[in-house]
Amino acid sequence: DAKTTQPPSMDCAEGRAANLPCNHSTISGNEYVYWYRQIHSQGPQYIIHGLKNNETNEMASLIITEDRKSSTLILPHATLRDTAVYYCIVRVAEWSSGSRLTFGEGTQLTVNP
Amino acid sequence: GAGVSQSPSNKVTEKGKDVELRCDPISGHTALYWYRQRLGQGLEFLIYFQGNSAPDKSGLPSDRFSAERTGESVSTLTIQRTQQEDSAVYLCASSLDRPTDTQYFGPGTRLTVL
């Protein structure tokens, strides 16, 4: 699986947009970009995923660069409940050992009042 | 609808004892995954089951670890002769039958080996 690189921590003011970057420069053509988050003492929660095009759902937006070597997760109006560790993961689109999720260190996002 | 459930939520055991951890996936999900998360660390893949295929056991750390799944339902992760380094949160996830389908996680079982 392609390796991802994320900043270890970020801060954001409540009500502002949180933009979390992820570098995945070795991503392959058949690998998707997934974002999960983990709030303290809970299981990981799916946020969004994409292959090439930008994606948006009720939780967030995912912006993938044209060369697919990096992406940004956007939480448009961060709240205190968005404080969590955010994981950027690349995953192959086939049943193999790559269909597991490989979690890196993630980014600790702290939303401040 | 009901999500992934795991039991027990907490388990304290003595070194050398065997433990069984249970996972009930979302109904209809053919894929089931086990992960381990040590304190302050990321998730570590252990094993996954997909339909009737042979499970991928490549993440199991030693032969003390084993897992079974009955059809497309309940799975049990067994750790024999527990060691202190086995202390962690054990997380289960399930998904539908495509490899890109979203994995939904349970709340985890916190295992403490004294």
Side-chain angles (χ1 to χ4, degrees), chain B residues 36-109:
Chain B
R36 176 171 72 176
Q37 187 172 33
R38 292 193 167 114
L39 185 64
Q41 298 185 20
L43 273 72
E44 175 188 4
F45 167 78
L46 297 177
I47 185 171
Y48 88 84
F49 300 87
Q50 166 51 26
N52 296 320
S53 302
D56 178 350
K57 305 180 182 180
S58 60
L60 295 178
S62 77
D63 58 9
R64 296 187 296 105
F65 288 72
S66 63
E68 293 184 348
R69 187 179 186 193
T70 307
E72 294 184 354
S73 59
V74 173
S75 176
T76 302
L77 177 69
T78 302
I79 308 173
Q80 296 178 309
R81 305 181 301 282
T82 53
Q83 305 294 313
Q84 288 183 331
E85 62 263 28
D86 299 334
S87 296
V89 175
Y90 289 81
L91 290 154
C92 175
S94 71
S95 73
L96 290 170
D97 60 0
R98 295 175 304 176
T100 54
D101 281 319
T102 299
Q103 292 184 26
Y104 294 92
F105 283 80
T109 293

Side-chain angles (χ1 to χ4, degrees), chain A:
Chain A
D1 292 338
K3 179 178 172 59
T4 62
T5 305
Q6 299 177 253
S9 63
M10 293 183 65
D11 285 275
C12 177
E14 187 177 19
R16 304 296 294 268
N19 297 279
L20 291 91
C22 179
N23 181 286
H24 32 78
S25 59
T26 61
I27 193 170
S28 300
N30 66 342
E31 288 182 315
Y32 284 71
V33 179
Y34 279 76
W35 284 83
Y36 279 76
R37 71 180 182 184
Q38 189 171 26
I39 296 170
H40 183 62
S41 298
Q42 298 182 21
Q45 177 188 23
Y46 166 81
I47 301 173
I48 198 167
H49 76 280
L51 182 63
K52 293 187 292 186
N53 299 322
N54 298 336
E55 302 288 345
T56 296
N57 63 20
E58 66 277 5
M59 290 183 67
S61 294
L62 174 61
I63 308 299
I64 303 174
T65 59
E66 191 170 345
D67 63 7
R68 302 185 70 237
K69 293 185 177 182
S70 65
S71 61
T72 302
L73 178 74
I74 301 172
L75 307 179
H77 305 286
T79 71
L80 299 179
R81 289 175 294 181
D82 291 323
T83 292
V85 178
Y86 286 77
Y87 295 98
C88 170
I89 300 161
V90 293
R91 182 185 180 202
V92 297
E94 62 188 36
W95 285 117
S96 67
S97 61
S99 55
R100 70 186 69 173
L101 294 174
T102 302
F103 287 76
E105 299 299 317
T107 296
Q108 171 65 59
L109 175 69
T110 302
V111 180
N112 301 304

